[in-house]
Amino acid sequence: MLTATYTLVALSVEQANIRKQVQTLQKLLHSAFAHQNALAAGQVGAACEMVKRLYENCHWRKIDMFLAPAIRKASPAAERLLLDLEELGRAAADAVGVLVVRLGVTALDTYAGVAQFCAALDAFCSATLKRLEREEKELFPVARAVISGEAWFSIANEMLVHDAYEQDRKPSRPAIGTAGYGQERGVARTEDAGRRRFATHLAH
């Protein structure tokens, strides 16, 4: 089950990155927005953009694209858990709707407006963090139990193809001999090496 282990590790890294961003948003909520009587349009707009970006990242996660469909195909008994996770996703989406559609990038000049804004931010963060936690504590064990070795191999290959496609879509950077560029190249080489090691494990 090495393929399953390495696949779940890769998914856990994706989870950790999103959790860190959501927790950063939560800290911003409590330190800069809560208990304020008014918020400037720039503050509201920046927070809404952060939420939109986070929601889109969550929506296009490998868990939703590859793991959940495999679990649903392998075990109808997991349907209740998958529906619960989707419900948390809808709760986050509803909060995004309040923030982006109803509040937008306008200044909030009343305590009630700020309270509504903070409540929507908190709802998004809470639903997203709860979903991440349940995926790791409940969905991953179910995946290990019901997905076959052949299916794990297929999931891992799909993930590698997806990563390669996303890498090809990134704009190329000019070959400028600066320290920062060299550092970026080093990071890219490290990521490529990680993907190669993953692919090597799949081949054995």
Side-chain angles (χ1 to χ4, degrees):
M1 293 292 287
L2 273 178
T3 302
T5 299
Y6 282 102
T7 302
L8 289 174
V9 167
L11 293 174
S12 294
V13 171
E14 183 179 56
Q15 297 281 92
N17 288 335
I18 292 176
R19 179 181 288 103
K20 184 177 180 180
Q21 294 175 63
V22 175
Q23 289 172 338
T24 298
L25 182 60
Q26 259 188 338
K27 290 178 182 177
L28 182 65
L29 165 62
H30 294 298
S31 64
F33 300 149
H35 311 300
Q36 297 294 319
N37 293 321
L39 293 174
Q43 291 175 297
V44 176
C48 287
E49 282 301 315
M50 188 182 300
V51 168
K52 284 168 58 180
R53 192 162 56 246
L54 269 172
Y55 177 73
E56 289 169 1
N57 289 343
C58 290
H59 187 69
W60 295 107
R61 291 177 308 154
K62 297 183 182 73
I63 284 179
D64 292 319
M65 289 191 290
F66 307 122
L67 190 68
I71 292 174
R72 184 169 269 122
K73 182 178 180 180
S75 175
E79 187 65 23
R80 181 67 261 170
L81 173 59
L82 292 170
L83 290 174
D84 286 348
L85 295 173
E86 289 173 2
E87 183 62 30
L88 289 170
R90 282 192 289 272
D94 290 343
V96 173
V98 171
L99 290 165
V100 176
V101 178
R102 192 177 304 172
L103 299 177
V105 294
T106 59
L108 301 174
D109 55 5
T110 66
Y111 181 81
V114 173
Q116 183 186 28
F117 173 78
C118 290
L121 273 181
D122 186 59
F124 170 80
C125 292
S126 296
T128 302
L129 290 175
K130 186 174 182 180
R131 185 178 185 183
L132 293 173
E133 181 180 11
R134 291 197 64 181
E135 285 169 345
E136 292 175 3
K137 291 185 176 180
E138 299 178 47
L139 192 69
F140 285 6
V142 168
R144 278 190 176 277
V146 303
I147 297 177
S148 67
E150 183 179 346
W152 277 116
F153 191 85
S154 176
I155 292 170
N157 274 317
E158 288 175 340
M159 286 170 55
L160 287 171
V161 170
H162 174 77
D163 285 344
Y165 173 74
E166 289 297 317
Q167 189 65 31
D168 288 343
R169 290 180 62 194
K170 291 181 180 178
S172 59
R173 295 183 176 89
I176 300 174
T178 63
Y181 179 70
Q183 183 179 16
E184 288 177 353
R185 291 185 62 187
V187 171
R189 284 196 296 270
T190 300
E191 292 174 347
D192 289 342
R195 281 192 288 270
R196 286 197 296 272
R197 283 196 298 270
F198 191 19
T200 299
H201 283 295
L202 292 179
H204 294 289

